[in-house]
Amino acid sequence: MSEACIRIWPELPKATINPNIYGHFAEHLGRCVYEGIWVGPKSEIPNQDGIRVDVIAALKQLRAPVVRWPGGCFADQYHWRDGVKPLKKRPQTTNIWWQQSEPNEFGTDEFMRFCAAVGCEPYICLNVGSGSPREALGWLEYCNFGGDSILSKLRAHNGHPEPYGIKYWGVGNENWGCGGRFTATDYAKEYTRYASYLRAFDPGIEMIACGASPGDYKLPTFVDWNHDFCAEMIHADLIDHLSIHRYFNRGTGATFSDSEYAALFGDLVAMERDIQQADRLLGYFYPDRFVGLIIDEWGLWHPSAVVDNGLEQVSTLRDAVFAAAALNLFNNYAHRVTMTNIAQTINVLQAIAITDGGAMCLTPTYYVYDMMRFHMAAQSLTHELDCPTFDAHPMGLRQKHSVPQLSVSASLARKKILLTVANQTVDADIETRIDLRGAKVLNVLGRVLNSADPRDANTIEAPKTIFPKRLKREQVDGELVHTFPAHSVTSLSISLA
Ligand code: AHR
């Protein structure tokens, strides 16, 4: 048994945790949208206007704040007008990147009905790679224009006379790669062109520029792309957020070795460095305007997830512990991180649910979102962690790093501290003293997500193998001490007097 200490200062809030940190991403890829979300109104699978009711219920339970759509790489070849025609006239097109045909049954209005049913904000990613500012402007007009125009009439004709008022608009996706292979400087010029018209048309929207994703497409380094983009994009009024991506893989989905298990958690050091570097750059280039950092694609991408199987993979307890550690990291950088979107909502990559015909199963990662949802809109708290470490060599970094065995974040809302602890070890239970710097504790409630082996997963046949267990309510008179089991996620709700 190892020992640790977490010190938390309840009176020292760092920043409000933007609820959008707990966001999702759904692309027209494999079975994410078609079958995962959309089955059509005539399906035997229970649906509301064509959208699976089991998926709506699952996302509602999480209070999912935002969903990014329609891609991903698909966004830069998507032509929105194909998806707002009468159903029978919608063309069957091709989805180049994911090598499947696109029926265009799920278009803007279907996406908006999905968001309304879930109660989340929509985030649309525009087509820069094969589109034009005119096409993007038309989409914005279709969605948000309250006056009289052909496009607002078309929206009304399609069932929505009121403007949708969509707030979040991404200007392209991975434009250094599948989004057109721009250089950072050329993309900045293109971004400026798009953003000028979008902003003029609807000053209320928030625009998201495409930043770097480390390690892909022989990019110039992460810092160089973001730096060169910001240096060229001098119109601070045109940018609200910069988005970066990061995917992780160490070993295969369910058969990784213990050393691959540890290496994966070491890789979070690399993501922390991405956030720190982007934080510095945004502060430097836009000193007079707050520009948020969005990580609008992140998660585990196991080698088994390939185009041929629609990027599907097994999602184990290890993936869930990893998700909790990543969300802890985002909570801890809440002063800059304004949104994150785990890839991808249903069936694809680190999905929160998998479907098989009419059946659905929640992955261990789903339960992490359920356990951590109370951080949304809470105040992220200052904390210190003393705990044993392990050595890791994070991807893309030259030096070895020493990584704490525990990952921690704490937040405060309505006199309750929510403490989330991910035990990042394969085999060490860690007895931990939780020091609240003199604050009086009334009681502690909690849930723990754990299983005998971090390789355990939920399946359609055995959907409850991994399920959070409630901890007994504890009255605390003196010191608060808790043992965090190996490869687990624990959320403690600590009521203060
Ligand atoms: O999520 C799968 C793909 O990964 C996305 O389409 C793309 O943006 C990224 O490279």
Side-chain angles (χ1 to χ4, degrees), residues 25 27 29 68 71-74 98 173-174 176 178 216-217 245 247 297 301 311 343-344 348-349:
F25 164 45
E27 179 167 11
L29 192 178
R68 176 178 184 246
C73 291
F74 179 72
W98 309 115
N173 169 75
E174 297 191 353
W176 36 263
C178 63
D216 273 335
Y217 285 88
H245 295 172
Y247 287 100
E297 288 184 33
W301 186 327
L311 265 47
Q344 297 195 5
V348 171
L349 298 176

PDB file of all heavy atoms in Angstrom, residues 25 27 29 68 71-74 98 173-174 176 178 216-217 245 247 297 301 311 343-344 348-349, ligand 1:
ATOM      1  N   PHE A  25     -18.216  14.695 -29.431  1.00  0.00           N
ATOM      2  CA  PHE A  25     -17.928  14.908 -30.851  1.00  0.00           C
ATOM      3  C   PHE A  25     -18.547  13.760 -31.637  1.00  0.00           C
ATOM      4  O   PHE A  25     -18.324  12.591 -31.309  1.00  0.00           O
ATOM      5  CB  PHE A  25     -16.392  14.945 -31.022  1.00  0.00           C
ATOM      6  CG  PHE A  25     -15.896  14.770 -32.425  1.00  0.00           C
ATOM      7  CD1 PHE A  25     -16.481  15.445 -33.489  1.00  0.00           C
ATOM      8  CD2 PHE A  25     -14.814  13.942 -32.694  1.00  0.00           C
ATOM      9  CE1 PHE A  25     -16.007  15.283 -34.783  1.00  0.00           C
ATOM     10  CE2 PHE A  25     -14.325  13.775 -33.982  1.00  0.00           C
ATOM     11  CZ  PHE A  25     -14.925  14.440 -35.027  1.00  0.00           C
ATOM     12  N   GLU A  27     -19.097  12.390 -35.609  1.00  0.00           N
ATOM     13  CA  GLU A  27     -18.758  12.565 -37.030  1.00  0.00           C
ATOM     14  C   GLU A  27     -19.528  11.556 -37.874  1.00  0.00           C
ATOM     15  O   GLU A  27     -19.893  10.469 -37.388  1.00  0.00           O
ATOM     16  CB  GLU A  27     -17.244  12.349 -37.190  1.00  0.00           C
ATOM     17  CG  GLU A  27     -16.762  12.490 -38.629  1.00  0.00           C
ATOM     18  CD  GLU A  27     -15.238  12.579 -38.741  1.00  0.00           C
ATOM     19  OE1 GLU A  27     -14.528  12.325 -37.744  1.00  0.00           O
ATOM     20  OE2 GLU A  27     -14.767  12.903 -39.852  1.00  0.00           O
ATOM     21  N   LEU A  29     -18.977   8.964 -39.552  1.00  0.00           N
ATOM     22  CA  LEU A  29     -17.845   8.030 -39.613  1.00  0.00           C
ATOM     23  C   LEU A  29     -18.328   6.694 -39.066  1.00  0.00           C
ATOM     24  O   LEU A  29     -18.830   6.649 -37.927  1.00  0.00           O
ATOM     25  CB  LEU A  29     -16.698   8.585 -38.751  1.00  0.00           C
ATOM     26  CG  LEU A  29     -15.302   7.990 -38.818  1.00  0.00           C
ATOM     27  CD1 LEU A  29     -14.344   8.733 -37.908  1.00  0.00           C
ATOM     28  CD2 LEU A  29     -15.200   6.507 -38.597  1.00  0.00           C
ATOM     29  N   ARG A  68     -20.032  18.422 -31.045  1.00  0.00           N
ATOM     30  CA  ARG A  68     -19.413  18.927 -32.282  1.00  0.00           C
ATOM     31  C   ARG A  68     -19.808  18.021 -33.441  1.00  0.00           C
ATOM     32  O   ARG A  68     -19.759  16.795 -33.322  1.00  0.00           O
ATOM     33  CB  ARG A  68     -17.896  18.942 -32.094  1.00  0.00           C
ATOM     34  CG  ARG A  68     -17.098  19.354 -33.326  1.00  0.00           C
ATOM     35  CD  ARG A  68     -15.612  19.361 -32.950  1.00  0.00           C
ATOM     36  NE  ARG A  68     -14.756  19.834 -34.024  1.00  0.00           N
ATOM     37  CZ  ARG A  68     -13.872  19.072 -34.657  1.00  0.00           C
ATOM     38  NH1 ARG A  68     -13.747  17.779 -34.362  1.00  0.00           N
ATOM     39  NH2 ARG A  68     -13.101  19.580 -35.595  1.00  0.00           N
ATOM     40  N   GLY A  71     -17.946  16.716 -38.481  1.00  0.00           N
ATOM     41  CA  GLY A  71     -16.618  16.081 -38.427  1.00  0.00           C
ATOM     42  C   GLY A  71     -15.733  17.040 -37.702  1.00  0.00           C
ATOM     43  O   GLY A  71     -16.192  18.107 -37.256  1.00  0.00           O
ATOM     44  N   GLY A  72     -14.456  16.699 -37.585  1.00  0.00           N
ATOM     45  CA  GLY A  72     -13.672  15.698 -38.216  1.00  0.00           C
ATOM     46  C   GLY A  72     -13.354  15.981 -39.697  1.00  0.00           C
ATOM     47  O   GLY A  72     -13.743  16.984 -40.288  1.00  0.00           O
ATOM     48  N   CYS A  73     -12.580  15.058 -40.216  1.00  0.00           N
ATOM     49  CA  CYS A  73     -12.186  15.151 -41.630  1.00  0.00           C
ATOM     50  C   CYS A  73     -13.412  15.298 -42.528  1.00  0.00           C
ATOM     51  O   CYS A  73     -13.359  15.947 -43.565  1.00  0.00           O
ATOM     52  CB  CYS A  73     -11.381  13.922 -42.027  1.00  0.00           C
ATOM     53  SG  CYS A  73      -9.769  13.872 -41.235  1.00  0.00           S
ATOM     54  N   PHE A  74     -14.519  14.659 -42.143  1.00  0.00           N
ATOM     55  CA  PHE A  74     -15.715  14.711 -42.978  1.00  0.00           C
ATOM     56  C   PHE A  74     -16.202  16.154 -43.162  1.00  0.00           C
ATOM     57  O   PHE A  74     -16.767  16.500 -44.207  1.00  0.00           O
ATOM     58  CB  PHE A  74     -16.823  13.850 -42.351  1.00  0.00           C
ATOM     59  CG  PHE A  74     -18.099  13.853 -43.137  1.00  0.00           C
ATOM     60  CD1 PHE A  74     -18.196  13.183 -44.350  1.00  0.00           C
ATOM     61  CD2 PHE A  74     -19.216  14.538 -42.675  1.00  0.00           C
ATOM     62  CE1 PHE A  74     -19.368  13.199 -45.091  1.00  0.00           C
ATOM     63  CE2 PHE A  74     -20.402  14.560 -43.401  1.00  0.00           C
ATOM     64  CZ  PHE A  74     -20.474  13.886 -44.617  1.00  0.00           C
ATOM     65  N   TRP A  98     -13.649   8.307 -44.852  1.00  0.00           N
ATOM     66  CA  TRP A  98     -14.039   7.100 -44.119  1.00  0.00           C
ATOM     67  C   TRP A  98     -14.612   6.041 -45.044  1.00  0.00           C
ATOM     68  O   TRP A  98     -15.187   5.044 -44.593  1.00  0.00           O
ATOM     69  CB  TRP A  98     -14.963   7.455 -42.948  1.00  0.00           C
ATOM     70  CG  TRP A  98     -14.324   8.554 -42.149  1.00  0.00           C
ATOM     71  CD1 TRP A  98     -14.778   9.826 -41.977  1.00  0.00           C
ATOM     72  CD2 TRP A  98     -13.039   8.494 -41.494  1.00  0.00           C
ATOM     73  NE1 TRP A  98     -13.883  10.571 -41.249  1.00  0.00           N
ATOM     74  CE2 TRP A  98     -12.796   9.774 -40.938  1.00  0.00           C
ATOM     75  CE3 TRP A  98     -12.058   7.503 -41.328  1.00  0.00           C
ATOM     76  CZ2 TRP A  98     -11.625  10.079 -40.230  1.00  0.00           C
ATOM     77  CZ3 TRP A  98     -10.890   7.806 -40.621  1.00  0.00           C
ATOM     78  CH2 TRP A  98     -10.700   9.075 -40.084  1.00  0.00           C
ATOM     79  N   ASN A 173     -11.356  21.911 -40.042  1.00  0.00           N
ATOM     80  CA  ASN A 173     -10.838  20.870 -39.147  1.00  0.00           C
ATOM     81  C   ASN A 173      -9.486  20.385 -39.660  1.00  0.00           C
ATOM     82  O   ASN A 173      -9.339  20.097 -40.861  1.00  0.00           O
ATOM     83  CB  ASN A 173     -11.818  19.683 -39.141  1.00  0.00           C
ATOM     84  CG  ASN A 173     -11.229  18.455 -38.451  1.00  0.00           C
ATOM     85  OD1 ASN A 173     -11.148  18.417 -37.232  1.00  0.00           O
ATOM     86  ND2 ASN A 173     -10.799  17.469 -39.231  1.00  0.00           N
ATOM     87  N   GLU A 174      -8.521  20.293 -38.805  1.00  0.00           N
ATOM     88  CA  GLU A 174      -7.189  19.776 -39.155  1.00  0.00           C
ATOM     89  C   GLU A 174      -6.781  20.278 -40.546  1.00  0.00           C
ATOM     90  O   GLU A 174      -6.486  19.504 -41.460  1.00  0.00           O
ATOM     91  CB  GLU A 174      -7.158  18.245 -39.069  1.00  0.00           C
ATOM     92  CG  GLU A 174      -7.411  17.774 -37.637  1.00  0.00           C
ATOM     93  CD  GLU A 174      -7.152  16.290 -37.362  1.00  0.00           C
ATOM     94  OE1 GLU A 174      -6.880  15.536 -38.312  1.00  0.00           O
ATOM     95  OE2 GLU A 174      -7.213  15.908 -36.177  1.00  0.00           O
ATOM     96  N   TRP A 176      -4.200  21.577 -41.586  1.00  0.00           N
ATOM     97  CA  TRP A 176      -2.819  21.247 -41.963  1.00  0.00           C
ATOM     98  C   TRP A 176      -2.787  19.868 -42.617  1.00  0.00           C
ATOM     99  O   TRP A 176      -1.804  19.477 -43.219  1.00  0.00           O
ATOM    100  CB  TRP A 176      -1.904  21.267 -40.733  1.00  0.00           C
ATOM    101  CG  TRP A 176      -2.589  20.750 -39.503  1.00  0.00           C
ATOM    102  CD1 TRP A 176      -3.179  21.493 -38.528  1.00  0.00           C
ATOM    103  CD2 TRP A 176      -2.835  19.380 -39.163  1.00  0.00           C
ATOM    104  NE1 TRP A 176      -3.761  20.680 -37.591  1.00  0.00           N
ATOM    105  CE2 TRP A 176      -3.567  19.380 -37.949  1.00  0.00           C
ATOM    106  CE3 TRP A 176      -2.495  18.170 -39.747  1.00  0.00           C
ATOM    107  CZ2 TRP A 176      -3.964  18.206 -37.322  1.00  0.00           C
ATOM    108  CZ3 TRP A 176      -2.897  16.999 -39.127  1.00  0.00           C
ATOM    109  CH2 TRP A 176      -3.630  17.019 -37.937  1.00  0.00           C
ATOM    110  N   CYS A 178      -6.133  16.676 -43.379  1.00  0.00           N
ATOM    111  CA  CYS A 178      -7.315  16.348 -44.196  1.00  0.00           C
ATOM    112  C   CYS A 178      -8.162  17.563 -44.539  1.00  0.00           C
ATOM    113  O   CYS A 178      -8.964  17.512 -45.466  1.00  0.00           O
ATOM    114  CB  CYS A 178      -8.155  15.262 -43.520  1.00  0.00           C
ATOM    115  SG  CYS A 178      -8.831  15.759 -41.908  1.00  0.00           S
ATOM    116  N   ASP A 216       1.186  14.576 -36.281  1.00  0.00           N
ATOM    117  CA  ASP A 216       0.502  14.142 -37.489  1.00  0.00           C
ATOM    118  C   ASP A 216       1.102  14.774 -38.737  1.00  0.00           C
ATOM    119  O   ASP A 216       1.600  15.882 -38.691  1.00  0.00           O
ATOM    120  CB  ASP A 216      -0.965  14.542 -37.420  1.00  0.00           C
ATOM    121  CG  ASP A 216      -1.790  13.480 -36.719  1.00  0.00           C
ATOM    122  OD1 ASP A 216      -1.356  12.332 -36.734  1.00  0.00           O
ATOM    123  OD2 ASP A 216      -2.839  13.829 -36.159  1.00  0.00           O
ATOM    124  N   TYR A 217       0.961  14.122 -39.827  1.00  0.00           N
ATOM    125  CA  TYR A 217       1.232  14.665 -41.154  1.00  0.00           C
ATOM    126  C   TYR A 217       2.556  15.409 -41.270  1.00  0.00           C
ATOM    127  O   TYR A 217       2.649  16.411 -41.970  1.00  0.00           O
ATOM    128  CB  TYR A 217       0.118  15.644 -41.560  1.00  0.00           C
ATOM    129  CG  TYR A 217      -1.158  14.974 -41.950  1.00  0.00           C
ATOM    130  CD1 TYR A 217      -2.115  14.659 -40.999  1.00  0.00           C
ATOM    131  CD2 TYR A 217      -1.420  14.642 -43.279  1.00  0.00           C
ATOM    132  CE1 TYR A 217      -3.300  14.043 -41.359  1.00  0.00           C
ATOM    133  CE2 TYR A 217      -2.600  14.032 -43.645  1.00  0.00           C
ATOM    134  CZ  TYR A 217      -3.540  13.733 -42.672  1.00  0.00           C
ATOM    135  OH  TYR A 217      -4.712  13.137 -43.026  1.00  0.00           O
ATOM    136  N   HIS A 245      -5.959  19.054 -31.157  1.00  0.00           N
ATOM    137  CA  HIS A 245      -6.388  17.653 -31.026  1.00  0.00           C
ATOM    138  C   HIS A 245      -5.249  16.830 -30.446  1.00  0.00           C
ATOM    139  O   HIS A 245      -4.087  17.155 -30.678  1.00  0.00           O
ATOM    140  CB  HIS A 245      -6.705  17.042 -32.404  1.00  0.00           C
ATOM    141  CG  HIS A 245      -7.881  17.668 -33.087  1.00  0.00           C
ATOM    142  ND1 HIS A 245      -8.232  17.384 -34.392  1.00  0.00           N
ATOM    143  CD2 HIS A 245      -8.813  18.555 -32.620  1.00  0.00           C
ATOM    144  CE1 HIS A 245      -9.321  18.069 -34.708  1.00  0.00           C
ATOM    145  NE2 HIS A 245      -9.679  18.797 -33.662  1.00  0.00           N
ATOM    146  N   TYR A 247      -4.622  12.439 -29.859  1.00  0.00           N
ATOM    147  CA  TYR A 247      -5.028  11.043 -29.668  1.00  0.00           C
ATOM    148  C   TYR A 247      -3.889  10.276 -29.017  1.00  0.00           C
ATOM    149  O   TYR A 247      -2.722  10.648 -29.158  1.00  0.00           O
ATOM    150  CB  TYR A 247      -5.386  10.404 -31.016  1.00  0.00           C
ATOM    151  CG  TYR A 247      -6.703  10.899 -31.569  1.00  0.00           C
ATOM    152  CD1 TYR A 247      -6.745  11.878 -32.557  1.00  0.00           C
ATOM    153  CD2 TYR A 247      -7.903  10.404 -31.080  1.00  0.00           C
ATOM    154  CE1 TYR A 247      -7.962  12.338 -33.050  1.00  0.00           C
ATOM    155  CE2 TYR A 247      -9.118  10.860 -31.570  1.00  0.00           C
ATOM    156  CZ  TYR A 247      -9.140  11.825 -32.556  1.00  0.00           C
ATOM    157  OH  TYR A 247     -10.350  12.268 -33.031  1.00  0.00           O
ATOM    158  N   GLU A 297     -10.960  17.301 -30.244  1.00  0.00           N
ATOM    159  CA  GLU A 297     -10.861  15.856 -30.465  1.00  0.00           C
ATOM    160  C   GLU A 297      -9.769  15.353 -29.549  1.00  0.00           C
ATOM    161  O   GLU A 297      -8.643  15.854 -29.587  1.00  0.00           O
ATOM    162  CB  GLU A 297     -10.481  15.521 -31.912  1.00  0.00           C
ATOM    163  CG  GLU A 297     -11.592  15.769 -32.893  1.00  0.00           C
ATOM    164  CD  GLU A 297     -11.246  15.335 -34.314  1.00  0.00           C
ATOM    165  OE1 GLU A 297     -10.493  14.344 -34.484  1.00  0.00           O
ATOM    166  OE2 GLU A 297     -11.714  15.996 -35.241  1.00  0.00           O
ATOM    167  N   TRP A 301      -7.067   6.077 -29.265  1.00  0.00           N
ATOM    168  CA  TRP A 301      -7.250   5.543 -30.620  1.00  0.00           C
ATOM    169  C   TRP A 301      -6.365   4.316 -30.685  1.00  0.00           C
ATOM    170  O   TRP A 301      -5.179   4.420 -30.948  1.00  0.00           O
ATOM    171  CB  TRP A 301      -6.842   6.583 -31.649  1.00  0.00           C
ATOM    172  CG  TRP A 301      -7.111   6.228 -33.079  1.00  0.00           C
ATOM    173  CD1 TRP A 301      -7.072   4.987 -33.647  1.00  0.00           C
ATOM    174  CD2 TRP A 301      -7.448   7.144 -34.128  1.00  0.00           C
ATOM    175  NE1 TRP A 301      -7.373   5.070 -34.982  1.00  0.00           N
ATOM    176  CE2 TRP A 301      -7.611   6.385 -35.308  1.00  0.00           C
ATOM    177  CE3 TRP A 301      -7.620   8.527 -34.198  1.00  0.00           C
ATOM    178  CZ2 TRP A 301      -7.922   6.973 -36.535  1.00  0.00           C
ATOM    179  CZ3 TRP A 301      -7.930   9.102 -35.421  1.00  0.00           C
ATOM    180  CH2 TRP A 301      -8.083   8.326 -36.572  1.00  0.00           C
ATOM    181  N   LEU A 311     -13.386   2.482 -37.326  1.00  0.00           N
ATOM    182  CA  LEU A 311     -12.683   2.999 -36.140  1.00  0.00           C
ATOM    183  C   LEU A 311     -13.335   2.535 -34.830  1.00  0.00           C
ATOM    184  O   LEU A 311     -13.520   3.304 -33.886  1.00  0.00           O
ATOM    185  CB  LEU A 311     -12.637   4.535 -36.180  1.00  0.00           C
ATOM    186  CG  LEU A 311     -11.392   5.224 -36.758  1.00  0.00           C
ATOM    187  CD1 LEU A 311     -10.953   4.632 -38.086  1.00  0.00           C
ATOM    188  CD2 LEU A 311     -11.561   6.703 -36.872  1.00  0.00           C
ATOM    189  N   ALA A 343     -13.592  11.924 -28.531  1.00  0.00           N
ATOM    190  CA  ALA A 343     -13.917  11.301 -29.826  1.00  0.00           C
ATOM    191  C   ALA A 343     -14.166   9.805 -29.617  1.00  0.00           C
ATOM    192  O   ALA A 343     -13.324   9.136 -29.055  1.00  0.00           O
ATOM    193  CB  ALA A 343     -12.755  11.518 -30.794  1.00  0.00           C
ATOM    194  N   GLN A 344     -15.271   9.360 -30.137  1.00  0.00           N
ATOM    195  CA  GLN A 344     -16.455  10.011 -30.641  1.00  0.00           C
ATOM    196  C   GLN A 344     -17.674   9.396 -29.960  1.00  0.00           C
ATOM    197  O   GLN A 344     -17.631   8.210 -29.623  1.00  0.00           O
ATOM    198  CB  GLN A 344     -16.573   9.815 -32.144  1.00  0.00           C
ATOM    199  CG  GLN A 344     -15.434  10.430 -32.932  1.00  0.00           C
ATOM    200  CD  GLN A 344     -15.782  10.541 -34.415  1.00  0.00           C
ATOM    201  OE1 GLN A 344     -16.889  10.242 -34.843  1.00  0.00           O
ATOM    202  NE2 GLN A 344     -14.812  10.954 -35.198  1.00  0.00           N
ATOM    203  N   VAL A 348     -17.626   4.811 -32.116  1.00  0.00           N
ATOM    204  CA  VAL A 348     -16.341   5.112 -32.747  1.00  0.00           C
ATOM    205  C   VAL A 348     -15.299   5.523 -31.688  1.00  0.00           C
ATOM    206  O   VAL A 348     -15.601   6.307 -30.787  1.00  0.00           O
ATOM    207  CB  VAL A 348     -16.522   6.224 -33.801  1.00  0.00           C
ATOM    208  CG1 VAL A 348     -15.194   6.737 -34.323  1.00  0.00           C
ATOM    209  CG2 VAL A 348     -17.394   5.727 -34.950  1.00  0.00           C
ATOM    210  N   LEU A 349     -14.080   4.979 -31.814  1.00  0.00           N
ATOM    211  CA  LEU A 349     -12.962   5.322 -30.917  1.00  0.00           C
ATOM    212  C   LEU A 349     -13.398   5.228 -29.450  1.00  0.00           C
ATOM    213  O   LEU A 349     -14.029   4.260 -29.068  1.00  0.00           O
ATOM    214  CB  LEU A 349     -12.363   6.695 -31.282  1.00  0.00           C
ATOM    215  CG  LEU A 349     -11.770   6.747 -32.709  1.00  0.00           C
ATOM    216  CD1 LEU A 349     -11.276   8.140 -33.061  1.00  0.00           C
ATOM    217  CD2 LEU A 349     -10.626   5.739 -32.882  1.00  0.00           C
TER     218      LEU A 349
HETATM  219  O1  AHR B   1     -11.829  11.193 -35.084  1.00  0.00           O
HETATM  220  C1  AHR B   1     -11.344  10.632 -36.244  1.00  0.00           C
HETATM  221  C2  AHR B   1     -10.528  11.620 -37.072  1.00  0.00           C
HETATM  222  O2  AHR B   1      -9.371  11.963 -36.397  1.00  0.00           O
HETATM  223  C3  AHR B   1     -11.183  12.940 -37.376  1.00  0.00           C
HETATM  224  O3  AHR B   1     -12.036  12.881 -38.458  1.00  0.00           O
HETATM  225  C4  AHR B   1     -10.001  13.807 -37.685  1.00  0.00           C
HETATM  226  O4  AHR B   1     -10.254  15.162 -37.411  1.00  0.00           O
HETATM  227  C5  AHR B   1      -8.896  13.222 -36.823  1.00  0.00           C
HETATM  228  O5  AHR B   1      -7.732  13.061 -37.522  1.00  0.00           O
END
